Amino acid sequence: MNTTLILAVVAIAGVASAGLYLYRRKWLDALLVAVAATALGLLAADLRMPGEGGRTFTIDASTAPVSLDGVHGLTVLGEGLRAAQWNDLPALPLDWKTPRGLAIRLDFPSQVALGRVFRLKVAREEKGAAQLELLAENGELLAQVRNAGDLTVEWTPPVAEPVVLKARLRNASGAVLAEGPVPFIVHEPAPLQVVGRFGAPSFDLRVLNDLLTGSGALLDWQVQLSRALTRTQTPREEMKAPNLMVIDAAWFERMGAGERSALLERVAGGMPLLVLGANANDAGLWSRTVQLPLRAQPAGSKIDAPFEMPLTTLAPAARDAGAWQGSDNMVWTRDWKQGRIAWLAVAEWHRHAIAEPRALALWWQGVIDRVGIERRQESGWVAPDEMALVGQRMEVCARGVRGEVTLPDLKQTLAWQRRADRADVSCVAVWPQKTGWLRVDDNKAGAHGFYVYAQEDWRSWQDAQRRDATARYAARTLERPADGPTRPIPVLPFALAFVVAILLLWWRERR
């Protein structure tokens, strides 16, 4: 029986009873019946009123709530709180309007391998013309870019060490919009372990060999010079876990069916395979074995970026060729169970080895990246999701660790805590007391540094991170705080009034 029907029954019974007493001129009895019916109706109505039991709490960046006991909803002013603060709060209805301001978002890697290009991207809500500058610690200009919309600068670190650069964003008139530190760690790269098998020699192979050797890679290299002669290069030390195999198309085409199957099984087990397609002749073989649709290319076909190179005689017919996906650097890739196969459809890159060695090396880095070489380690440090600020709680997280972690700068040793929302990741919470690198040591993950920003660093970026964190919190509930009464009215007075009125009426009837 719903509340409306109960109230209707109580009202009808009360009016009828009071009417009968009035008809008999028992005025006091009629009043007692009216009081009893009214009290019973108020008991059934479940009336509510404002009060501390259901209040709405107003917060902003400077008033993070310590407790939300008795709070039924939140009203947020400004950008809201940081993710670490929102994660401590239960999901409550949120009343918040996304601010409109000149927030920016920075995107850059926390670690870069020596020899790789460091890229800093600034995404802006204001899309007008602007200038982004990347500066060294001594103020020397390292790179700059002028453009409208998002901005990206690039720089190649010269040595392996922790680096703190400075970035500055200016508007079209030269006024500084935002600036702050850009910290990252440059580390020595793990050397590639490359197995190379080639059916014919070429200048391109020689240049590729030099590039890989110069990068510190271990090479197991065999080139078929003739039917009876093979040039072999053995690695300078034992290759324990080869992580890339490079072949030319001619070598693959000359293999027996059993050898091809064994090679593809090795790729299926996780070995990335890069095929140099310059000397391919049998399009049908590639279609049957790896489902690669090759088509003859017009004579003289070339690409112009990053420099001029001719296309191979056979190349995939389209950018998306079935399971194969192409790219601007003319590399087509497809997954092959646990591994990946890549087809390079350009040649004669050796012509740029002398005039443009740096550009050629960067281009080859992009090609190898497309192959998808992964060096998964059992343990490693996890980059923080938001800026670590001095005096505020931050999470230090690592993958594949257990036991304790030491923070020498804070003179603390803490026990790792598993994260339920992230597989194989453990974290500890710390409160850094000064800006700069915060050193952490772990028996498995080794030594590492997390950068702690000052409160005044990148205020526009901080605003953007708080907006994003507040939006994620708001998504945890689709309801908004209700307006009006929020707390039940106490029912004891109504119950007492009903009981007293009924007892008096009974006493009067018994007289």
Side-chain angles (χ1 to χ4, degrees), residues 432-453:
Q433 302 302 313
K434 62 180 182 179
T435 60
W437 292 104
L438 176 66
R439 181 182 170 184
V440 290
D441 292 323
D442 180 79
N443 291 333
K444 292 192 66 177
H448 189 62
F450 291 91
Y451 190 81
V452 180
Y453 294 84

Side-chain angles (χ1 to χ4, degrees), residues 37 125 170 182 250 420 497:
E125 295 182 357
R170 299 180 183 271
V182 179

Side-chain angles (χ1 to χ4, degrees), residues 115-162:
R116 294 282 182 158
V117 175
F118 170 78
R119 291 182 177 87
L120 168 65
K121 180 180 179 181
V122 176
R124 303 184 297 136
E125 295 182 357
E126 173 59 46
K127 300 303 181 181
Q131 175 177 302
L132 178 62
E133 301 172 348
L134 188 64
L135 309 173
E137 294 182 77
N138 61 3
E140 177 187 356
L141 181 64
L142 301 176
Q144 66 177 346
V145 62
R146 295 183 180 88
N147 203 351
D150 297 344
L151 302 171
T152 302
V153 292
E154 299 180 349
W155 177 66
T156 303
V159 294
E161 62 180 3

Side-chain angles (χ1 to χ4, degrees), residues 14 46 68 123 141 166 190 244 289 321 343 368 430 432 443:
D46 188 27
L68 292 179
L141 181 64
K166 183 177 181 179
L244 175 63
T289 54
W343 175 278
I368 293 176
V430 298
N443 291 333

Side-chain angles (χ1 to χ4, degrees), residues 80-200:
L81 304 178
R82 304 172 68 238
Q85 296 169 312
W86 282 124
N87 291 339
D88 291 337
L89 303 181
L92 293 174
L94 190 69
D95 185 10
W96 177 63
K97 293 182 179 180
T98 305
R100 297 297 178 186
L102 300 180
I104 62 173
R105 292 170 175 83
L106 274 63
D107 182 19
F108 59 91
S110 61
Q111 298 189 62
V112 177
L114 183 63
R116 294 282 182 158
V117 175
F118 170 78
R119 291 182 177 87
L120 168 65
K121 180 180 179 181
V122 176
R124 303 184 297 136
E125 295 182 357
E126 173 59 46
K127 300 303 181 181
Q131 175 177 302
L132 178 62
E133 301 172 348
L134 188 64
L135 309 173
E137 294 182 77
N138 61 3
E140 177 187 356
L141 181 64
L142 301 176
Q144 66 177 346
V145 62
R146 295 183 180 88
N147 203 351
D150 297 344
L151 302 171
T152 302
V153 292
E154 299 180 349
W155 177 66
T156 303
V159 294
E161 62 180 3
V163 176
V164 182
L165 304 181
K166 183 177 181 179
R168 182 180 294 136
L169 181 65
R170 299 180 183 271
N171 61 15
S173 61
V176 176
L177 299 176
E179 63 181 354
V182 179
F184 59 97
I185 297 175
V186 184
H187 62 85
E188 292 286 352
L192 286 173
Q193 301 184 33
V194 184
V195 176
R197 299 291 184 266
F198 309 99

Side-chain angles (χ1 to χ4, degrees), residues 360-398:
L360 181 61
L362 292 175
W363 177 75
W364 260 109
Q365 282 184 355
V367 172
I368 293 176
D369 287 343
R370 284 279 296 164
V371 183
I373 301 173
E374 295 184 1
R375 291 184 288 271
R376 174 74 176 181
Q377 298 179 345
E378 294 183 0
S379 61
W381 299 98
V382 178
D385 294 329
E386 62 180 350
M387 299 172 64
L389 297 177
V390 63
Q392 298 198 26
R393 191 186 69 176
M394 66 173 287
E395 284 187 336
V396 173
C397 297

Side-chain angles (χ1 to χ4, degrees), residues 51 116 130 185 194 202 210 224 228 251 285 318 338 341 353 375 384 387-388 397 403 450 452-453 458 493 496 501 506:
R116 294 282 182 158
I185 297 175
V194 184
S202 70
D210 292 341
Q224 191 77 31
W251 188 78
L285 173 66
Q338 301 301 317
I341 306 175
R375 291 184 288 271
M387 299 172 64
C397 297
F450 291 91
V452 180
Y453 294 84
W458 294 116
L496 291 175
W506 174 80

